[in-house]
Amino acid sequence: MPDTAVNDNLLDINNLSIHYITEDGTVRAVNDLSLSIKRGETVGLVGETGAGKTTTALGIMRLVPEPPGKIVGGKIIFDGDELVTKNDAEMRKVRGKKISMIFQDPMTSLNPVIPVRDQIAEVILLHENVTAGEALEKAEEMLLKVGIRPERSKEFPHQFSGGMRQRVVIAIALACNPELLIADEPTTALDVTIQAQVLELMKNLKHEFNTSMILITHDLGIVADICDKVAIMYAGSIVEMADKFDLFRNPKHPYTVGLFNSIPDIEKDEDSLVPIQGIMPDPTELPSGCPFHPRCNQAKPECSQVEPESVDVGDKHYVKCILYS
């Protein structure tokens, strides 16, 4: 991965490893992951279920449930500050103010017995030096920004549709103008039309607030629409990272190629798709060498023995594969 020692990145993750230590074994959810994000940049974190995307996001927020989860190695440098060594009180000042997260299910993110306006105001009061009245006023402004009329601000979460609840969650996340927004599959539970509206809203607000964003998804169509850079995750590590246009035009890693081959192309007359054989490995028993080698159609004998290094194949296009070492 890129040298992140001296740069102007907003976020630098260096060799991050997160494990869940259980009675049945150690789940190696994130392994030696490195990622950098510039100010105002949107990075798509893409991979199958179980690839470690959400655990990476929880690691950045320092919300990995401990026990059983534990950050066992690496650094998370945000705006020059090391987050891994901060205590809970210091992290509470960061969450919501500097880094915000939109979770998958808005209904579990919102308090069912508090009006939506008050939930936004609570975040503003926590991080900004304002009166209760000013916080409520700003909360209504935020609701208006996400397309919810002021007269609905005193309603409760159950009175809103799924798409409207997601808009409320976005309003909460952006209320204190954070520098980094982490969106964990924010449109998974929504139908296609509402999904498009929410994504367009996020895109517009991101530009308005000049917020950097990590978008966690398994939908390459969303990545194409919103992201600047793409990181492909497999079995807890990033196997390929590049500029969006470079990655879509010229995917290198066999896993990335497999992902693109499994997407239907409306311009081609195909009888069937080409799926990636096998399933994601058990994170308690990751295979030796390259974790993808049991499913790889280009695997060589040494792939089962040597864990590949990340290589720059040109124009900051990084690939973790022995074919390019």
Side-chain angles (χ1 to χ4, degrees):
M1 285 297 157
D3 177 14
T4 54
V6 181
N7 55 36
D8 59 350
N9 292 333
L10 177 67
L11 178 74
D12 284 319
I13 303 174
N14 297 316
N15 308 113
L16 180 68
S17 293
I18 303 172
H19 294 173
Y20 293 95
I21 298 150
T22 70
E23 291 179 359
D24 298 325
T26 298
V27 178
R28 293 158 59 196
V30 175
N31 304 296
D32 204 27
L33 181 143
S34 295
L35 177 69
S36 60
I37 299 173
K38 292 184 171 63
R39 294 177 192 279
E41 185 175 54
T42 299
V43 175
L45 208 52
V46 180
E48 293 172 86
T49 301
K53 306 184 297 295
T54 298
T55 298
T56 300
L58 293 175
I60 297 168
M61 297 288 287
R62 290 282 311 281
L63 288 173
V64 174
E66 191 174 340
K70 189 175 179 63
I71 295 176
V72 296
K75 294 182 177 181
I76 303 170
I77 312 292
F78 175 77
D79 205 13
D81 281 345
E82 165 61 283
L83 298 186
V84 173
T85 55
K86 285 188 181 293
N87 60 36
D88 288 344
E90 290 169 330
M91 278 307 300
R92 280 195 289 272
K93 293 177 182 176
V94 174
R95 295 187 204 111
K97 174 65 176 172
K98 295 183 177 180
I99 308 175
S100 283
M101 187 163 173
I102 300 170
F103 295 91
Q104 283 188 39
D105 183 4
M107 202 58 197
T108 56
S109 305
L110 297 168
N111 190 320
V113 297
I114 297 177
V116 295
R117 180 186 70 165
D118 296 52
Q119 296 192 49
I120 302 170
E122 186 181 3
V123 179
I124 297 164
L125 278 170
L126 193 64
H127 293 292
E128 295 185 6
N129 186 21
V130 294
T131 65
E134 289 168 337
L136 288 170
E137 197 175 307
K138 185 171 181 185
E140 291 193 353
E141 287 174 15
M142 285 306 303
L143 284 170
L144 204 54
K145 279 187 187 294
V146 297
I148 296 174
R149 299 189 308 276
E151 55 265 31
R152 297 204 64 188
S153 66
K154 295 178 185 176
E155 292 182 9
F156 295 86
H158 72 270
Q159 294 174 280
F160 291 88
S161 65
M164 294 296 263
R165 283 197 293 264
Q166 195 62 287
R167 288 168 184 263
V168 173
V169 171
I170 292 168
I172 292 172
L174 292 173
C176 294
N177 195 10
E179 295 171 70
L180 176 65
L181 179 65
I182 302 172
D184 185 3
E185 305 207 25
T187 58
T188 298
L190 308 177
D191 66 55
V192 177
T193 309
I194 304 301
Q195 195 177 89
Q197 291 174 5
V198 169
L199 288 170
E200 190 63 29
L201 172 69
M202 286 175 63
K203 197 158 58 172
N204 293 338
L205 290 172
K206 180 189 119 41
H207 288 305
E208 182 179 338
F209 290 100
N210 193 32
T211 307
S212 300
M213 184 161 74
I214 297 173
L215 179 65
I216 296 171
T217 183
H218 53 259
D219 189 330
L220 287 163
I222 291 173
V223 170
D225 186 34
I226 287 188
C227 299
D228 304 307
K229 192 163 73 178
V230 191
I232 305 291
M233 275 193 83
Y234 185 81
S237 44
I238 292 174
V239 295
E240 184 164 7
M241 186 165 70
D243 168 84
K244 170 179 69 180
F245 297 104
D246 192 12
L247 187 110
F248 272 68
R249 288 173 186 150
N250 194 16
K252 299 282 189 186
H253 196 281
Y255 177 63
T256 312
V257 173
L259 287 180
F260 279 103
N261 285 342
S262 61
I263 299 171
D265 187 340
I266 58 172
E267 294 180 359
K268 292 180 181 177
D269 185 16
E270 294 173 315
D271 293 328
S272 62
L273 300 175
V274 183
I276 301 171
Q277 298 301 317
I279 59 170
M280 181 87 70
D282 183 344
T284 60
E285 296 180 23
L286 291 178
S288 60
C290 172
F292 185 61
H293 85 263
R295 303 174 69 187
C296 183
N297 57 10
Q298 298 186 56
K300 301 175 183 293
E302 56 264 41
C303 292
S304 62
Q305 298 153 16
V306 181
E307 187 170 348
E309 294 290 320
S310 190
V311 179
D312 187 349
V313 294
D315 294 328
K316 295 184 178 178
H317 187 148
Y318 297 91
V319 187
K320 209 172 190 179
C321 179
I322 204 166
L323 296 173
Y324 301 94
S325 298

